[in-house]
Amino acid sequence: MEYKYVESAPIKATDQDPFESMMARFDVAADLLKLEPGIYQYLKTPMRQIIVAIPIQMDDGNIEVFEGYRVIHNDVRGPSKGGIRYSPHVNLSEIKALAAWMTWKCAVVNIPFGGAKGGVKCDPKMLTMVELEKITRRYTANLLEVFGPDRDVPAPDVNTNEQVMGWIMDTYSMHVRHTETAVVTGKPTFLGGSQGRVEATGKGVVMVTSSLMEKMGMNPKDTRIVVQGFGNVGSIASKEFEAIGCKVIAISDVSGAYYNAKGIDIKKAIAYRDAYGGVLENFDAGDKITNDELLELDCEVLAPCALEDQITSKNAGKIKAKIIAEGANGPTTAKADPILAERGIAVIPDILCNAGGVTVSYFEWVQDRMGYFWTKDDVFNRLNRILTEAFEAVRATSEKYDVNMRIGAYILAIDRVAKTLKIRGIYG
Ligand code: NAD
C-alpha cells in the first residue's frame, strides 16, 4: 500500500504561531462577549496536554523512541474530537491551537463534541508500513484511557489515513475486548465509515460559499474561482464549484499553479492528477504561474485549501477576490484579518467553511453507535441542513455585534461553550 506523505507547515518564528493566531481572534471575541475573567481562563486553557513516549523496535532491530501528543482542549459539550497528524514538525503549540480550533468548529456547527488534536513527531516518508503500524498501535495503547467513543474520538489529519484509523480502532478494540468502531472516524465504509466523508469538506466549502454568494447577489455563471491546493479539499471543492456553474480559472498544488481565463476542466485535472502520482506537475490546460500570483489573481472567490499562513499581512493588500473561502485550517494570519476587512473582502472563516468534514465525522460516529448506515443522499441532505443553519447563525451573530464573519463565528462558538459550561457549573 502506498503511504501519502504531506509536509506539514513548520511554525515560522517570524509569523504568528497558530496558537497566537487562534488566541488573537479568541481575545477579540471574548472581549465583545464580555466574558467573565474566570470563564475566559477556563476556555483558554486546554483541559489535558499529554505527551507520551513511543518506543519502537525498527525493522533493522534498533530501538527508537518517538514522541506523541494528545491535547484535549475542552469537552463540556461532549466527547472531544480531533485528528492525529504524523510529521517531523509536530509540536505542542501547534497541537494546542488545533485542539482549540476543534472546540470552536464543533460549537459553530452545533454538534455535541468538544475539541482535541494529537500527533506523533516522526517522518513518515522514512518509515516502513510495519514501523508506522507499530507507532500507531503503541501511541493508541499509551492513550487507552484517553480515547473512547464517549471520551475522545480521533480522526485522520496530515499524513494519517483510513489505514491508520483502522489500526487505532483495532488496537482499542483488542484492549476493550469488543469491536468498537465509534472510537475513531475517517474509517473506510466497510469498517464503519460514513458514505460521503471523502467529499464532505470540499462539498461543505461550496455549500457555505454559495449561501454567501446568494446573499451578496452573485450569480454562479459570473463567478470566477481560484483554488489553492488540489488534494482532498481543493479538488472536491473545485469540482463542486464547477457543478454549480462557476468557472474555476486557476488551481494549484505542491508542483505549482495553473491559470486559464477560459476555465479549467476540473474532471480532466483530477484525472490528470490521479494518473501522474497525485500531483499536477506539467499540467498543460493552463499557463504556469507562481503560488503568489495565484493568490493575487483577479477573481470573485479565492479558496485556500492547502496550508496554514498563506494570506498574511504581506499579501492581504493585493488580494482581489470578493470572498475568501477558507477550505484549509488557518490559511489567513490574524495580522491579515484587519487588512482584508478594511478592503471589504468577505472571509468565510475556516471554523465554518471547512466544518463539513467534522460534521460528517459526527455522522459516522452516530451511525457506528446505531449500527445503522445512511445513504449518501441522507448524509449530504443532513450536512446541508447543519451547514446552512451554522452559516445563518454566524451571519446573525456578525450582524448583532457588527463584526466580520470570523469574529462572528468565534463569538457564536465561545458563547455556546460558555453557556454549556455555566449551566453545568464548576465541579470542585
Ligand atoms: P491533502 O493532503 O489532500 O491536499 C493538500 C494539497 O495542498 C495538495 O494538493 C498539495 O499538493 C497542496 N500543497 C501543498 N503545499 C502547497 C503549496 N505550497 N502551494 C500550493 N499547494 C500546496 O490535504 P487536505 O485533506 O485537502 O487538507 C487541506 C487543508 O484542509 C489542510 O489545512 C487541512 O487541515 C484542511 N482540512 C481538511 C479536512 C479534510 O476533511 N480533509 C477537513 C478540514 C480541514
Side-chain angles (χ1 to χ4, degrees), residues 390-409:
F391 172 77
E392 293 299 342
V394 169
R395 289 268 305 169
T397 312
S398 306
E399 275 167 25
K400 180 174 165 194
Y401 288 87
D402 194 21
V403 290
N404 61 29
M405 287 182 75
R406 169 146 13 244
I407 299 303

Side-chain angles (χ1 to χ4, degrees), residues 99-114:
W101 262 323
M102 287 305 295
T103 304
W104 314 135
K105 196 182 290 189
C106 292
V108 163
V109 283
N110 214 3
I111 57 177
F113 282 141

Side-chain angles (χ1 to χ4, degrees), residues 186-411:
K187 303 179 296 293
T189 43
F190 57 85
L191 211 70
S194 177
Q195 292 290 340
R197 175 63 188 88
V198 174
E199 302 95 315
T201 307
K203 244 186 181 314
V205 167
V206 179
M207 285 175 185
V208 178
T209 308
S210 51
S211 296
L212 182 62
M213 282 163 51
E214 206 181 309
K215 291 260 188 265
M216 291 171 66
M218 291 162 66
N219 183 345
K221 297 259 170 301
D222 306 320
T223 304
R224 294 162 303 163
I225 313 279
V226 169
V227 180
Q228 184 196 38
F230 207 65
N232 171 273
V233 181
S235 65
I236 306 274
S238 302
K239 199 167 120 194
E240 293 293 320
F241 274 122
E242 194 181 54
I244 62 165
C246 300
K247 202 197 289 180
V248 181
I249 58 164
I251 55 176
S252 76
D253 70 3
V254 73
S255 73
Y258 308 86
Y259 168 68
N260 185 339
K262 293 195 187 111
I264 291 170
D265 182 333
I266 299 302
K267 276 193 201 82
K268 268 196 194 147
I270 291 175
Y272 183 94
R273 176 200 66 185
D274 293 346
Y276 293 93
V279 284
L280 293 163
E281 187 85 65
N282 299 325
F283 182 59
D284 61 3
D287 300 330
K288 189 131 189 216
I289 56 172
T290 66
N291 189 47
D292 289 348
E293 286 167 339
L294 172 119
L295 294 172
E296 294 164 18
L297 277 174
D298 188 14
C299 64
E300 278 68 44
V301 177
L302 169 64
C305 300
L307 307 164
E308 291 156 24
D309 297 340
Q310 295 302 293
I311 300 168
T312 65
S313 53
K314 292 190 188 75
N315 62 4
K318 299 182 208 150
I319 305 272
K320 297 184 190 71
K322 291 189 176 68
I323 295 176
I324 295 177
E326 294 187 335
N329 283 317
T332 309
T333 65
K335 280 187 189 160
D337 275 351
I339 304 169
L340 298 171
E342 204 170 286
R343 300 186 55 232
I345 298 172
V347 179
I348 311 177
D350 46 7
I351 57 174
L352 168 65
C353 197
N354 68 35
V358 74
T359 304
V360 176
S361 284
Y362 161 59
F363 295 163
E364 180 175 337
W365 177 83
V366 169
Q367 293 169 83
D368 285 341
R369 291 168 72 105
M370 288 194 297
Y372 177 73
F373 291 85
W374 309 338
T375 64
K376 218 178 228 195
D377 277 353
D378 282 341
V379 168
F380 291 147
N381 287 337
R382 289 176 161 118
L383 176 65
N384 195 30
R385 179 181 62 75
I386 287 189
L387 291 182
T388 306
E389 279 173 17
F391 172 77
E392 293 299 342
V394 169
R395 289 268 305 169
T397 312
S398 306
E399 275 167 25
K400 180 174 165 194
Y401 288 87
D402 194 21
V403 290
N404 61 29
M405 287 182 75
R406 169 146 13 244
I407 299 303
Y410 272 79
I411 292 177

